[in-house]
Structure formats: C-alpha cells, structure tokens
Amino acid sequence: GENVEQHPSTLSVQEGDSAVIKCTYSDSASNYFPWYKQELGKRPQLIIDIRSNVGEKKDQRIAVTLNKTAKHFSLHITETQPEDSAVYFCAAILTGGGNKLTFGTGTQLKVEL
Amino acid sequence: GAVVSQHPSRVICKSGTSVKIECRSLDFQATTMFWYRQFPKQSLMLMATSNEGSKATYEQGVEKDKFLINHASLTLSTLTVTSAHPEDSSFYICSARKEASGDTQYFGPGTRLTVL
C-alpha cells in the first residue's frame, strides 16, 4: 500500500516569512496529491491539490510542487500570517484504486508575530 | 458547494454501550464515503470505505463487527461503535467523495467520542 512521509513535524516561522512542508510517497502509481489544513478540533480543509500530470500549482499565497521522478511534493506558503497557524497534512491517492487517501503525519505550523 | 455534516458532534457514553454516528452529504450524492479516526496530535487513519448499497471495506486491523458501517442511501452513512471501551475514545471524521469534483473528498466536522 501507499506510505506517505511528511517533514517537518513542527515548523515555526516569523510572520511574513515563507513556510515549506515536504512529503514523499512510495507508490509511483499515485496520481492525486491534496493538502489539508486542520485547526484544533475542526475538520480538515482542502487548501490546494495537484495531479500527477502537473508539476506546479499556485493559488495566491499557496503553491504546491510535484516531482514524480523523486516521488515527492511540497507545500509552499508565502507571506505567512498568524491565521496560517494550524496542522497541515499532505495526502496521496491512487484514483481508481478505491480512492483511498493516505495521509502524512502532519506538520504543526506556528506563525509568530 | 459540497457540505458534509456529522451528528453528533460530541458524545460521552459508558463503557459497554453502543454509539451511532451519522455522516450526511447535504448538497451532493456520494456513493463512497470514508470513515477516519484521529487520536490527539496524530494523523487521520482510514478505518473503512463505505459503499452505498454494498458492504463496507475495512482497513487491516479494524474490526468490522465492532465498527458497523451502513450506507443505505446516497447521502447518508452511519458508523456504530459497538460495546465501546475507553480505548475507543477518539475523534471520528467522515468524508464523502463528490464524483463531479473528481477525487476530492469533503470532510465532516468530526465527532468527539469519550467512553467512560
């Protein structure tokens, strides 16, 4: 089955700085990679996703890059704000294979004033 | 939109009792829903895939007789934790796959289960 590793587990940045979270996956057939933001006690919220036929996708301050050869993908948040503080999870899915999401272990991001 | 609701949001029960959690897709139909469990400061772990009109598919290590799943309609899946014990205390989250949006899963708000 799929295995997703995520680093770092915690990340502190100053407001306005950039934050980068990295994930690697094991199943080369995986073809959809969403990123979720989860605040304490709340549901995971999809913030951006990328498919395997694309190398990069950007949505305002958030971007995701995918390297299929190396089987890793990264989340980039620029101009961080205190409200970006949350736990971020990457995930990988093999569409057509039951569409089961395999989550990374999560990154606790803290944006300090 | 794609809204998923869960009920109840919190439940406290005595050891040995059963608890039913409902997951509803409010504005779309979902032939597939998923049930996750999340312990404090940990990631989401898939428990089972709920398929409308057929039996659920359970992940390895998840007892199907303890965690009963029913997906009787295209907008409702239920998870029943039978004979609950304190170690079943956790945050249970469902998600629903909206076929029109491809592979995107939309999550419910979660249910905090505490077994005394």
Side-chain angles (χ1 to χ4, degrees), chain B residues 6-33:
Chain B
Q6 255 182 267
H7 179 79
S9 58
R10 287 179 176 270
V11 57
I12 300 173
C13 69
K14 292 182 179 180
S15 187
T17 61
S18 294
V19 175
K20 179 186 282 188
I21 302 170
E22 293 186 348
C23 177
R24 293 182 185 273
S25 55
L26 298 184
D27 53 359
F28 65 99
Q29 294 183 331
T31 56
T32 306
M33 294 185 176

Side-chain angles (χ1 to χ4, degrees), chain A residues 38 43 51 95 99-100 104, chain B residues 4 38 43 59 103 107-108:
Chain A
Q38 187 181 31
R43 77 184 84 195
R51 299 188 183 277
T95 60
N99 296 96
K100 295 192 297 184
Chain B
V4 177
Q38 186 178 32
S43 188
E59 295 302 299
D103 313 304
F107 284 85

Side-chain angles (χ1 to χ4, degrees), chain A residues 17-28:
Chain A
D17 288 350
S18 295
V20 180
I21 302 171
K22 299 181 179 182
C23 288
T24 59
Y25 60 99
S26 61
D27 190 343
S28 57

Side-chain angles (χ1 to χ4, degrees), chain A residues 72-90:
Chain A
H72 66 69
F73 55 113
S74 301
L75 177 71
H76 305 253
I77 305 174
T78 59
E79 300 172 31
T80 54
Q81 301 167 2
E83 49 266 38
D84 294 330
S85 297
V87 179
Y88 290 80
F89 292 99
C90 62

